[in-house]
Amino acid sequence: MGKLVQCTKAYKSYGNTGSNPGQDTTLLPNALIKKDFSEDRKTQEDHKAQDQDPKGTDNVPKKRRNKRQKGQKKGGKEQTALLIAAKAGATEMVEKILDEFPVAIQDVDSEQKNVVLLAIENRQPHVYKFLLKRENIPRESVFRHVDQQGNSALHLAATQCGEYRPWLIPGSALQMQWEIKWFEFVKNSMPPNFFPHYNKRLQTPNEVFVNTHKDLIKDGSEWLTKTSESCSVVAALVATVAFATSATVPGGINQDRGTPTLEDKPAFNAFAISSLAALCFSVTALVFFLSILTSRYQEKDFALDLPRKLLLGLTSLFASIAAMLVSFCAGHIFVLTEQLRYVAYPLYAALCFPVTFFAFAQLSLYFDLILAIFKTVPQRSYEVLPH
């Protein structure tokens, strides 16, 4: 951080901000002077070689020529330390630079993107929230700034990051949900109609969002469909077993009174309640999973509707499986004699182990769904940064 701040001391000496930074090399830091002098010397040598060689650029080293052409494509302008820090999500670095050099807030890159646009485009919620809370920032010019394509901050929030998955959440469906939350967070961070409505392609932010997230919606829809189909099969099996179990009374019915023979037994009460609970929860889970399968899979459905149905469906499915095991153990205990009941208890525990293992294997998905639904601002992933 100290080295980056030291490099930004060039803000004091020359106009390295705005769309046309100054070119007074007498005021540049030593490192920048050496770099510019060496590049100018190489450029002069290249021009001299071209004048002597009738074939043009054949005598110019290929690596140097490619580097020069690459620099020309970029417009000859590199990103400043503030823009790099905002793009990488280094909030402390952004704060330090703006404290030392407030004029750096006007920095833009070769695509005319300032610190706000880069923070939003690269999904850096911490940097963006810091800029929102920071005082003494010209909000009208900084937050309403547009790039070369006329894209505002809301347009870039609606643009997908390509194959890169920026959010700390697995699965295409949950990535899509946090993309919607990020878009809504940026939209609600400013007053209505604050951002420019159209870019140079005459596209609105909503149109940009729909066009750039088609692949993510497709992947999320396929994952939800496969998950719902698998879980609905399990829920249907549990419902079948629970219905058959609830219709069977252990010990039979007293013909004189018409009541169960074992109605005074605590295990019988546990059996009756757990079998009914298994039937109710399994049917509820089946309804939720079927509602996911019949969904239209539109963009707005991924915001809350589909993840909430999946969360409630998984919760009901886990509860139905647990209730089914309790009803089985409570009904089977009447078959055993008093001497064998203590031997059966470890077997009952071993029976629950596979189901418990399955539940723990799905806990990560369960907690991810809870985090994705209840978290207002998405959480950024810093495991891999785009280049």
Side-chain angles (χ1 to χ4, degrees), residues 221-241:
S221 302
E222 293 177 354
W223 178 78
L224 284 174
T225 301
K226 293 179 180 179
T227 304
S228 300
E229 287 177 351
S230 302
C231 293
S232 60
V233 171
V234 178
L237 292 176
V238 174
T240 303
V241 174

Side-chain angles (χ1 to χ4, degrees), residues 53-284:
D53 186 12
K55 295 183 181 180
T57 59
D58 292 343
N59 289 337
V60 181
K62 185 176 180 181
K63 183 182 295 186
R64 190 184 304 173
R65 186 169 63 248
N66 293 338
K67 182 178 181 181
R68 187 182 64 189
Q69 292 175 356
K70 184 178 180 181
Q72 291 175 355
K73 291 181 180 180
K74 289 185 178 181
K77 187 174 181 182
E78 297 181 355
Q79 291 184 346
T80 61
L82 177 66
L83 301 181
I84 296 175
K87 188 176 180 180
T91 309
E92 297 82 1
M93 190 69 240
V94 174
E95 182 179 6
K96 185 67 175 178
I97 294 175
L98 292 179
D99 290 340
E100 294 289 336
F101 316 104
V103 71
I105 195 65
Q106 302 294 339
D107 284 1
V108 294
D109 62 2
S110 59
E111 298 179 355
Q112 296 299 311
K113 294 178 181 178
N114 64 355
V115 59
V116 174
L117 296 183
L118 288 176
I120 292 176
E121 182 183 27
N122 292 276
R123 306 305 193 257
Q124 301 295 349
H126 297 291
V127 177
Y128 184 67
K129 288 193 291 185
F130 164 75
L131 295 173
L132 288 174
K133 297 179 182 178
R134 186 174 178 84
E135 300 178 355
N136 300 327
I137 289 182
R139 303 177 72 87
E140 187 72 18
S141 62
V142 174
F143 286 89
R144 284 180 59 88
H145 185 81
V146 294
D147 61 6
Q148 286 182 346
Q149 304 299 326
N151 294 317
S152 65
L154 197 56
H155 284 91
L156 295 180
T159 304
Q160 190 186 0
C161 295
E163 297 181 356
Y164 175 66
R165 301 294 176 89
W167 303 120
L168 191 62
I169 198 80
S172 298
L174 301 184
Q175 285 280 332
M176 182 63 190
Q177 183 188 22
W178 275 15
E179 282 284 290
I180 297 175
K181 286 194 173 186
W182 175 242
F183 177 74
E184 294 295 333
F185 173 72
V186 175
K187 181 179 180 180
N188 298 329
S189 63
M190 290 296 166
N193 301 322
F194 179 82
F195 298 107
H197 197 56
Y198 294 95
N199 58 10
K200 291 184 178 180
R201 297 182 179 179
L202 299 180
Q203 291 178 323
T204 63
N206 291 329
E207 293 174 348
V208 173
F209 189 91
V210 173
N211 294 331
T212 58
H213 288 82
K214 291 181 179 179
D215 294 336
L216 193 61
I217 293 174
K218 181 180 179 181
D219 295 340
S221 302
E222 293 177 354
W223 178 78
L224 284 174
T225 301
K226 293 179 180 179
T227 304
S228 300
E229 287 177 351
S230 302
C231 293
S232 60
V233 171
V234 178
L237 292 176
V238 174
T240 303
V241 174
F243 178 79
T245 303
S246 60
T248 304
V249 180
I253 298 177
N254 192 334
Q255 299 296 331
D256 297 333
R257 297 181 300 174
T259 58
T261 306
L262 304 174
E263 61 178 346
D264 296 331
K265 300 290 183 178
F268 179 81
N269 295 330
F271 167 81
I273 295 175
S274 60
S275 59
L276 180 60
L279 179 61
C280 294
F281 281 121
S282 60
V283 173
T284 303

